[in-house]
Amino acid sequence: MPKLWGSNTPTDASSKVGKAKLVSVVGAGCAAVLLSCVPQFEGMVLRGYTDPIGIVTACAGHTATAVLGKPYTKAECEKLLVDDLVKHAEGVKRCIERPLPVHQLAAAVSFAFNVGVPRFCGSTFAKKLRANDPMACAEISRWTFAGGRELPGLVKRRAVERDMCDGKI
């Protein structure tokens, strides 16, 4: 996966603080994976828009405060992404209540970023991760539907998350 935000990317102080917080929550390796793969899955749209199932979204999958039609700067989007990743990573860690290998943590945070922490925590995927079930990662593949239909983008995303979870990438 291409590196989206390398050391040559200009960042402001709040972005550096946010990235440091993400690293403190998930570790440097996991943070690097998340900052690379989540924007690829979500896309980066510098305005508020409606996603395929009607949720107002902005930037790289930000929904909490997204405003339909509002323009966002790249810096605003980067900050929203990092803040959202921290929030979702903290939720995943609270839910799982045990350390996960980097590849499983990255897959779980990416998954939770997409479906939300409450849905992640209630999923069989999370239950199996909590139980250290070796078949936990297989559960990711079941989550390819949104708005009552299977979405090709979710099929692709889940395949990558499954491989990530299984330690194949």
Side-chain angles (χ1 to χ4, degrees):
M1 289 181 196
K3 191 172 183 180
L4 295 180
W5 298 329
S7 59
N8 61 347
T9 302
T11 58
D12 61 15
S14 68
S15 178
K16 288 179 183 177
V17 169
K19 288 177 188 175
K21 169 90 176 185
L22 181 61
V23 168
S24 75
V25 172
V26 298
C30 186
V33 169
L34 290 169
L35 288 169
S36 175
C37 75
V38 170
Q40 287 184 40
F41 294 143
E42 297 289 343
M44 182 63 79
V45 180
L46 301 180
R47 63 171 173 71
Y49 64 96
T50 305
D51 80 358
I53 62 168
I55 298 171
V56 176
T57 307
C59 301
H62 176 76
T63 59
T65 61
V67 177
L68 188 61
K70 177 184 174 188
Y72 293 83
T73 66
K74 183 179 177 192
E76 287 173 315
C77 287
E78 288 177 358
K79 181 174 183 343
L80 288 170
L81 175 62
V82 172
D83 292 349
D84 286 348
L85 285 170
V86 167
K87 178 179 131 189
H88 287 83
E90 289 172 339
V92 164
K93 290 181 84 172
R94 275 192 307 274
C95 178
I96 299 302
E97 300 177 334
R98 73 173 188 85
L100 292 174
V102 169
H103 59 280
Q104 286 185 345
L105 180 58
V109 173
S110 175
F111 180 85
F113 188 95
N114 182 243
V115 303
V117 171
R119 289 186 76 203
F120 165 75
C121 290
S123 72
T124 305
F125 175 40
K127 289 174 187 152
K128 288 185 175 187
L129 283 175
R130 278 192 294 275
N132 202 21
D133 184 324
M135 296 305 296
C137 298
E139 294 298 322
I140 294 173
S141 301
R142 298 176 58 212
W143 290 74
T144 58
F145 288 78
R149 63 187 200 276
E150 188 167 53
L151 299 179
L154 283 180
V155 172
K156 291 176 187 171
R157 180 179 188 149
R158 298 301 180 243
V160 172
E161 289 171 337
R162 167 83 187 267
D163 284 348
M164 184 186 309
C165 188
D166 284 332
K168 294 179 182 175
I169 55 174

